[in-house]
Amino acid sequence: MPASRSAPRTAPRRAAPILALAAALALGVPGLVPSATARSPQASSADVYVSPTGSDAVDGTARHPVRSLSRARDLARGRAARQTADLTVHLAAGTYRTDKPLELDARDSGRNGHRIIWQGAGAAATVISGGRKVEGWQPVSGRPGLWSAPAPQGLTDTRQLYVDGVRGQRARGEVPVGLTATSTGYTATSDAIAHWRHPSDAEFVYTSGEALWNVERNGLGQWTEPRCKIAAATGTAITMAQPCWDNSNKRVEFADRPGRTVSMVGPGKLTNNGKASYVENAYELLDQPGEWYLDSTAHTVYYLPRQGEDPRSADIEAASAEKLLDGHGSAKAPLHDVAFQGLQFSYATWLTPSGPEGFSEIQAGYTITGAKGWATQGLCGFTPGGTCPFASWTKMPGNVSFSYASGIDISDSTFAHLGAAGLELGAGIANSTVRTTVFTDISGNGMEIGGVDGKTPASGIEVSDNHLYALPREFHGGVGILNGYTQHNTIAHNQLDHLGYSAISMGWGGWPDKIGVPATPNPSHDNAVRDNLVFDYMQLLDDGGGVYTQGLTGTSMADGEKVTGNVIHDQWGLGKSVYTDNGCTYETVQGNVLYGAAYANVASRHTDYRDKLGNNDPTLIKGNWWEEGAADGNSKGLVTTGNHIMAGLADVPPDVLANAGIEPAYHSVLDRTTQTVSVPEAPARVGTSTAGADALYVTFNPAYVDGGSPLTGYTAHALRPDGTEAARADITVADFKRRAYVRVGQLAPSEGPFRVTVTAHNTHGESAASLASVPIVPTAAVVLPGAPTGVRVRAGAGAVTVAWTPPAVMGDAKVIGYRIAVSDGRVVEVTGRDALVTQPTAKGMFRVVGGLVPGKRYTFTVAAVTAAGVGPGAATGSLTHS
């Protein structure tokens, strides 16, 4: 049987392979079965009715609806005092525009054991919008294809523009000058930026991820993408906005540990000498379809339409409000017993990153803020003046947020086209649910639960049967679900797919183990992540996981975090299926199906510094189906037992596969859409390597936003120095997923050096071009790589896991794959993203070889493959289990 990576690994957003398997198990294809909470409540004489065409001068009855949400709130508040049944605020279909949030507090709670229900006509029908419609479009004279319109009244800034529900791209491009970092910004090689219309609008973006081929690692750690705007550009001097610049470049390091920041998260300054990956938000960068720019000085919006778009007839929305709904009680008087059903929250922005604070990222959307944030923020106990508690940085806000509330029920709703985090369930949230809801097209984290600031933890939160996909769109270090310090929370039966970074991030404060200190004490315990389906994640950044956890998760294995019954597959970036990071203590990882990871299925081992016995953080890894194949054992508290090497999905019990993801009664949530079909988002991080005297290998990060239509393929375009195309090569989505590179041939080296852009395709058309790769000239590779190192076999019964690390000597071309020769005569070709991304830091590789006879001895020889050919092999043997 071939290596397990040849088993089906592709999965359309709305029908993953295991769902198809569930159908084969006669579970059937469910019809539209609404959740119990979605059924129309019984009408009450106290109910309030709202319509976009209503009037706030009337009484809010069914025949005389009010118009605004705030008026409806006030009426419901008055009527709830006499509440003897659930009171429903009926929101008719239509768009409810607001420039400030609907604020709810304890006065807006249900009474006498009943609820206040905010009931919409359906997520696509009832939209609570913070947008302003942009109208009056005209062609721009002298700029073919470019259109402009007056900015709507009251719109002074925004970071998002949408055309018929499709997010536009703020004008972006490569930095047009060379940059040398200084204490206040940069010295440029020319004064080009100083001659832009408004240099202080522009924002430098520092995309990280692993250094791969000639793709650079910028940012503040492989998991980050910080942003800082330009304050001023005069001649060749570029001054960056403060405090963003200092917070991203002056992070305190231990005096006795050079290079180790006191925060223990990432480097002390922007890597790669502060080089920006690209620049965004300037009129001069408008050159790709779908790009836009707001000239706030001239009060004008510019847009370069995609094929088929007509700005004069399109619904073009500029996100304006920063918050749509703010439900906040207090510890003594919480908001309680309020439900939200059948609503869509859209077109809100977040403007802090556009100001002096910028976006000085730490992890998962947390940032350092304030004039001296770099010197004190969240550094409690580790530096003089450090604020407490440790690691309590500034969390990205939610466009919809709740704090100090209980009995909050959100169901059958949609969070889409949002500019911060989608939903924030903050400090003091208790006994609340988020069910059958869609989160997509969100700039940052999809959902945030709890916090890390020492305030009352969130508790008793159930997040179930939701679909989170195609995010984050702007702050790419964001995650699907971010869970901080919480208790008794359950994240179950959700589907998370097509994500730029990690899917579910749990816990906090574990970093002190990097200096031999115990993880930060915290109130977390009794949290469960179970029966979720996660796939196609970490499609832009690296060093994350399907489920990522760090810090103390409880006080014992009994009340520690449980990660069980999840199916996690098809990771793109370097990381782990289940990542037990720094200080992750009392974690149980049991009964999961884990495959298609780059580096490890479950990792990592960490020392438990609460004593001096040299034990590891207590962790149980039991009964999983995986490819990693680590042997059973007890490594001083890290227990591995009863796991199964899987050579394909047929090795997994069908009921385990069928149980993961959204439950059958709620499958209709997978079909809920939020936009018209459009072209895909452009691919990212394009890298090249020589493939011979007249050809290049090209790799890139795939487009994880498909435009509402499944991707069909990609095209790599090799460009001459004058920008004309020298050659192109097409590849299907399946072939690119399998190989992770495309070969572009028939290049004349004398016409180079060549830069490469990549476009993505779906049934609607072709995306805009990606940012271009670093220039390169094809050369004939002649020096073979060395043999892989550390080749070993982890034995199962009818299958084994062959593991190795990349060659210590690479030759004169990059490794594009490996070849495993089996002593029974088979040759297994190993390709994929992990074959590429594990090279720079020599991370481990592994593949399952199945179809073996139990109790028989086999030899496996692993060799690296480059453009120069196949290098020497390294062999090892093993006896399979009987």
Side-chain angles (χ1 to χ4, degrees), residues 5 574 597-600 627-628 788-792 794 801-807 815-820 829-839 842-848 862:
R5 300 290 174 93
L574 185 67
Y599 181 31
E627 296 176 320
E628 182 177 343
T789 58
V791 179
R792 55 207 180 278
R794 301 160 182 166
T801 297
V802 183
W804 68 94
T805 50
V815 172
I816 57 170
Y818 296 89
R819 186 168 292 174
I820 303 174
E829 299 290 345
V830 176
T831 57
R833 183 64 164 196
D834 55 342
L836 312 183
V837 79
T838 52
Q839 295 173 45
K843 298 295 186 184
M845 287 281 301
F846 56 89
R847 281 295 187 278
V848 173
V862 184

Side-chain angles (χ1 to χ4, degrees), residues 420-625:
L423 172 64
E424 178 185 5
L425 300 176
I429 296 293
N431 304 322
S432 297
T433 60
V434 183
R435 294 174 288 177
T436 54
T437 289
V438 169
F439 295 79
T440 189
D441 189 20
I442 296 170
S443 287
N445 297 316
M447 185 190 312
E448 299 177 337
I449 308 171
V452 298
D453 54 7
K455 296 181 180 179
T456 307
S459 64
I461 311 300
E462 179 187 338
V463 178
S464 61
D465 293 296
N466 303 288
H467 188 200
L468 300 95
Y469 71 96
L471 60 89
R473 296 296 303 275
E474 185 176 1
F475 308 109
H476 294 119
V479 302
I481 301 174
L482 175 65
N483 184 92
Y485 294 154
T486 63
Q487 302 169 356
H488 299 287
N489 285 4
T490 299
I491 300 172
H493 287 292
N494 302 284
Q495 179 170 315
L496 300 97
D497 60 89
H498 294 85
L499 305 169
Y501 180 51
S502 296
I504 302 172
S505 182
M506 305 284 290
W508 205 249
W511 298 287
D513 81 351
K514 293 181 177 180
I515 59 169
V517 176
T520 302
N522 72 74
S524 293
H525 60 81
D526 291 291
N527 292 313
V529 181
R530 61 175 177 81
D531 306 319
N532 299 284
L533 172 60
V534 177
F535 60 93
D536 288 342
Y537 61 100
M538 284 176 61
Q539 300 225 318
L540 181 63
L541 300 182
D542 294 284
D543 200 3
V547 177
Y548 170 94
T549 303
Q550 58 133 304
L552 292 164
T553 76
T555 63
S556 67
M557 292 302 298
D559 71 1
E561 185 176 296
K562 307 296 189 294
V563 179
T564 62
N566 303 284
V567 174
I568 304 174
H569 65 91
D570 289 307
Q571 173 195 104
W572 186 256
L574 185 67
K576 296 98 177 178
S577 306
V578 178
Y579 193 164
T580 56
D581 203 6
N582 297 115
C584 179
T585 305
Y586 302 128
E587 177 99 352
T588 296
V589 182
Q590 184 171 358
N592 304 282
V593 180
L594 312 171
Y595 64 98
Y599 181 31
N601 288 137
V602 183
S604 302
R605 179 198 63 79
H606 293 284
T607 300
D608 187 347
Y609 289 104
R610 294 175 299 168
D611 57 41
K612 297 182 180 180
L613 301 178
N615 292 319
N616 292 317
D617 291 327
T619 305
L620 175 64
I621 305 170
K622 180 180 180 180
N624 301 285
W625 289 266

Side-chain angles (χ1 to χ4, degrees), residues 192-212:
I193 290 179
H195 291 290
W196 285 359
R197 283 190 180 188
H198 304 295
S200 60
D201 283 353
E203 182 175 285
F204 284 161
V205 184
Y206 306 87
T207 304
S208 196
E210 290 290 338
L212 174 62

Side-chain angles (χ1 to χ4, degrees), residues 240-251:
M240 298 300 290
Q242 294 287 15
C244 187
W245 186 249
D246 282 353
N247 286 337
S248 303
N249 287 286
K250 288 187 176 181
R251 298 182 180 181

Side-chain angles (χ1 to χ4, degrees), residues 75-439:
L75 288 173
R77 183 181 288 174
R79 297 174 187 180
R82 304 180 301 276
Q83 191 171 2
T84 59
D86 285 350
L87 188 160
T88 301
V89 180
H90 301 269
L91 278 70
T95 298
Y96 297 82
R97 294 185 183 273
T98 180
D99 57 3
K100 57 184 178 180
L102 171 65
E103 295 198 48
L104 305 177
D105 58 31
R107 295 171 293 175
D108 304 300
S109 303
R111 313 286 176 86
N112 306 317
H114 302 292
R115 300 183 301 169
I116 305 294
I117 302 172
W118 292 76
Q119 178 69 55
T126 301
V127 180
I128 298 175
S129 170
R132 295 178 184 267
K133 191 173 179 64
V134 185
E135 300 176 299
W137 291 93
Q138 297 291 333
V140 175
S141 178
R143 284 290 308 269
L146 187 64
W147 291 69
S148 69
Q153 184 69 31
L155 182 72
T156 58
D157 196 6
T158 185
R159 297 181 64 90
Q160 294 85 30
L161 187 80
Y162 301 87
V163 180
D164 289 330
V166 179
R167 180 181 292 235
Q169 169 64 56
R170 285 207 308 174
R172 68 174 180 176
E174 63 181 79
V175 180
V177 295
L179 298 173
T180 301
T182 68
S183 61
T184 58
Y186 298 98
T187 299
T189 53
S190 82
D191 62 354
I193 290 179
H195 291 290
W196 285 359
R197 283 190 180 188
H198 304 295
S200 60
D201 283 353
E203 182 175 285
F204 284 161
V205 184
Y206 306 87
T207 304
S208 196
E210 290 290 338
L212 174 62
W213 290 6
N214 57 12
V215 181
E216 297 165 335
R217 178 197 293 176
N218 300 321
L220 289 160
Q222 298 96 302
W223 55 92
T224 67
E225 190 180 60
R227 294 165 171 260
C228 286
K229 70 177 299 186
I230 294 173
T234 304
T236 60
I238 296 176
T239 303
M240 298 300 290
Q242 294 287 15
C244 187
W245 186 249
D246 282 353
N247 286 337
S248 303
N249 287 286
K250 288 187 176 181
R251 298 182 180 181
V252 182
E253 297 182 354
F254 287 107
D256 58 345
R257 295 181 175 90
R260 170 66 71 195
T261 56
V262 173
S263 72
M264 292 167 264
V265 188
K269 62 181 180 180
L270 293 166
T271 54
N272 199 16
N273 298 313
K275 185 172 182 179
S277 303
Y278 59 94
V279 60
E280 191 172 279
N281 201 39
Y283 175 86
E284 290 74 13
L285 301 174
L286 284 164
D287 64 354
Q288 289 287 318
E291 289 187 335
W292 65 274
Y293 168 69
L294 169 62
D295 186 333
S296 56
T297 302
H299 207 62
T300 301
V301 183
Y302 294 91
Y303 181 62
L304 193 60
R306 302 176 180 94
Q307 184 176 358
E309 291 179 337
D310 185 345
R312 294 168 297 187
S313 58
D315 175 24
I316 300 183
E317 303 279 345
S320 179
E322 294 194 71
K323 194 173 288 290
L324 300 174
L325 193 161
D326 186 5
H328 56 275
S330 67
K332 292 183 178 180
L335 171 69
H336 61 87
D337 298 306
V338 185
F340 303 86
Q341 302 170 1
L343 302 171
Q344 179 166 320
F345 299 94
S346 292
Y347 304 125
T349 190
W350 178 38
L351 298 178
T352 296
S354 296
E357 290 284 6
F359 190 72
S360 181
E361 190 170 23
I362 283 282
Q363 183 172 326
Y366 277 84
T367 57
I368 296 180
T369 57
K372 289 287 185 179
W374 58 271
T376 63
Q377 195 173 68
L379 304 182
C380 177
F382 292 103
T383 191
T387 57
C388 294
F390 172 71
S392 58
W393 295 290
T394 302
K395 182 170 60 175
M396 177 186 299
N399 290 131
V400 174
S401 67
F402 294 89
S403 62
Y404 292 99
S406 66
I408 303 300
D409 179 9
I410 299 171
S411 61
D412 302 293
S413 295
T414 294
F415 292 75
H417 317 319
L418 297 172
L423 172 64
E424 178 185 5
L425 300 176
I429 296 293
N431 304 322
S432 297
T433 60
V434 183
R435 294 174 288 177
T436 54
T437 289
V438 169
F439 295 79

